[in-house]
Amino acid sequence: MATIYDVARQAGVSAATVSRVVNGRASVDAALTARVQQAMRELDYRPNALARNLRRQRTSIWAVIISDIGNPFFTSMVRGVEDVAQGAGYSVVLCNSDEDPAKEAGYVAAALAEQMAGVIISSTGKPANVNRLIEAGTPVVAIDREVRGAAVDSVLVDNEHGAELAVEQLIGAGYRRIACISGPRRLPTAQQRLRGYTKALRAHRHPVSDDLVRYGDFRQEGGYQAMAALLDGGQAPDAVFVANNLMTVGAMECLVDRGIPVPDRIGVVGFDDIPWAHLVRPSLSTVVQPTYELGRTAALLLAERIAEPSRPPSTVTLRTELKVRESSARPAAR
């Protein structure tokens, strides 16, 4: 394996000049830089990344800590992060917290121990984990979920407005007793979507009832159980707004198991699109988030934070869009 000294001999320069070229220093003459790069190609020289990172004190790696690797919402989002990171010369390590603050804290500790260049985090809701990164001087961006109690760059979506759109569509289609399967009470995303649900009902003079709200865990099984609880809780709803994609799948599964036709007896609108939402029958109406753009914007903010560590934190809020499909069509006449 070629060394820096082999490259120096091949190029006819000093090892220090080779080191400056490898580390991107602008002080090296263009002709010398070209000779060094040519020698590196001829010898198939690969810089020692570990040694370079030790000199820089930080790696060229970003950690992306997400809350549920099983949720397809994150697939496109992480791709957006990776595309920007690659273009900026960084690699991405994906970490799954499983909605567990302790597991998230472990990944934060690992990011600090490995001196990662930056962190993008979809938080479980514990500001202490994000504040550890800030206090250590590690650039960090919150994605998808607001982190209250931490002064941090954030990329969010208009959750409340998206939920309003979903419920207004159900009202406009003729549904009257509209339920909500919300997410965990502690998460800002769940709180905002529930707020949009109630805001739409009140705006159209529909009653708001605790009997029509169930809280899930943003997982498929939680959506199934919440839908079953709504059906078994007395007077069943004639429509339901479900606050994320996996719980929508669970709610639909419960309705199929109970033999309840959608949308004739119960209309359904979910939050977060699913890649195959248009393929199932009935096709699913969903609030679509700009997932790729979420990741891309977060990565751009992180790169800016690395370049300007002292600038004030900023928040970017992206718009959602309602995709109306068969599951929320006008109900059958009763």
Side-chain angles (χ1 to χ4, degrees):
M1 183 179 294
T3 68
I4 193 171
Y5 301 101
D6 297 326
V7 175
R9 280 193 297 271
Q10 182 87 348
V13 299
S14 69
T17 297
V18 176
S19 176
R20 287 196 294 273
V21 171
V22 167
N23 286 287
R25 301 284 176 82
S27 58
V28 184
D29 177 79
L32 289 182
T33 297
R35 278 164 51 189
V36 169
Q37 291 172 339
Q38 177 64 28
M40 290 169 63
R41 286 192 292 271
E42 291 172 353
L43 297 172
D44 194 27
Y45 173 70
R46 295 289 183 270
N48 186 323
L50 179 59
R52 289 171 64 200
N53 288 333
L54 287 173
R55 286 194 295 275
R56 292 174 178 173
Q57 297 302 306
R58 287 200 183 277
T59 67
S60 56
I61 298 173
W62 291 351
V64 179
I65 304 175
I66 61 174
S67 52
D68 183 5
I69 201 169
N71 190 331
F73 162 80
F74 288 107
T75 305
S76 179
M77 189 193 82
V78 173
R79 180 59 187 266
V81 173
E82 185 184 38
D83 284 353
V84 173
Q86 288 285 308
Y90 293 93
S91 298
V92 171
V93 172
L94 185 61
C95 309
N96 175 44
S97 71
D98 258 337
E99 299 284 8
D100 181 351
K103 192 173 179 182
E104 179 182 272
Y107 280 126
V108 166
L112 293 173
E114 297 297 327
Q115 295 184 305
M116 291 190 179
V119 174
I120 293 174
I121 183 169
S122 176
S123 173
T124 59
K126 291 288 185 181
N129 289 334
V130 175
N131 282 326
R132 281 185 67 192
L133 294 165
I134 296 170
E135 290 162 6
T138 299
V140 57
V141 174
I143 192 168
D144 181 46
R145 298 175 180 179
E146 178 185 2
V147 184
R148 294 165 183 161
V152 62
D153 293 311
S154 303
V155 184
L156 312 171
V157 299
D158 56 347
N159 289 291
E160 183 174 329
H161 180 66
E164 277 187 81
L165 291 177
V167 177
E168 285 175 349
Q169 194 271 321
L170 289 168
I171 292 170
Y175 295 98
R176 291 293 174 261
R177 188 172 166 80
I178 302 169
C180 176
I181 297 178
S182 184
R185 296 173 190 261
R186 73 179 189 281
L187 294 182
T189 47
Q191 296 165 8
Q192 291 156 7
R193 293 169 195 178
L194 180 60
R195 194 157 59 237
Y197 159 80
T198 57
K199 186 175 179 180
L201 292 180
R202 290 191 174 114
H204 292 270
R205 302 185 183 279
H206 279 238
V208 177
S209 170
D210 290 342
D211 293 338
L212 289 174
V213 177
R214 295 292 184 275
Y215 294 89
D217 56 3
F218 278 164
R219 304 288 178 90
Q220 184 172 338
E221 181 59 27
Y224 189 104
Q225 293 174 357
M227 190 72 247
L230 286 168
L231 296 174
D232 297 336
Q235 185 181 354
D238 65 357
V240 60
F241 164 63
V242 190
N244 93 324
N245 51 3
L246 295 183
M247 291 196 306
T248 305
V249 173
M252 290 289 287
E253 183 183 4
C254 178
L255 293 170
V256 169
D257 287 349
R258 298 287 185 99
I260 297 174
V262 174
D264 289 348
R265 280 184 54 194
I266 292 187
V268 178
V269 180
F271 204 107
D272 300 338
D273 207 19
I274 301 168
W276 38 262
H278 64 293
L279 297 176
V280 298
R281 292 296 177 266
S283 56
L284 282 173
S285 295
T286 56
V287 177
V288 180
Q289 298 195 64
T291 49
Y292 179 87
E293 193 61 24
L294 265 173
R296 179 180 173 277
T297 305
L300 290 172
L301 277 182
L302 184 59
E304 290 175 12
R305 174 61 56 189
I306 291 169
E308 291 186 73
S310 61
R311 68 170 177 77
S314 60
T315 297
V316 178
T317 303
L318 303 179
R319 300 287 287 180
T320 51
E321 177 187 0
L322 179 64
K323 290 284 188 183
V324 180
R325 301 188 179 100
E326 296 169 349
S327 68
S328 61
R330 190 169 297 278
R334 290 173 174 80

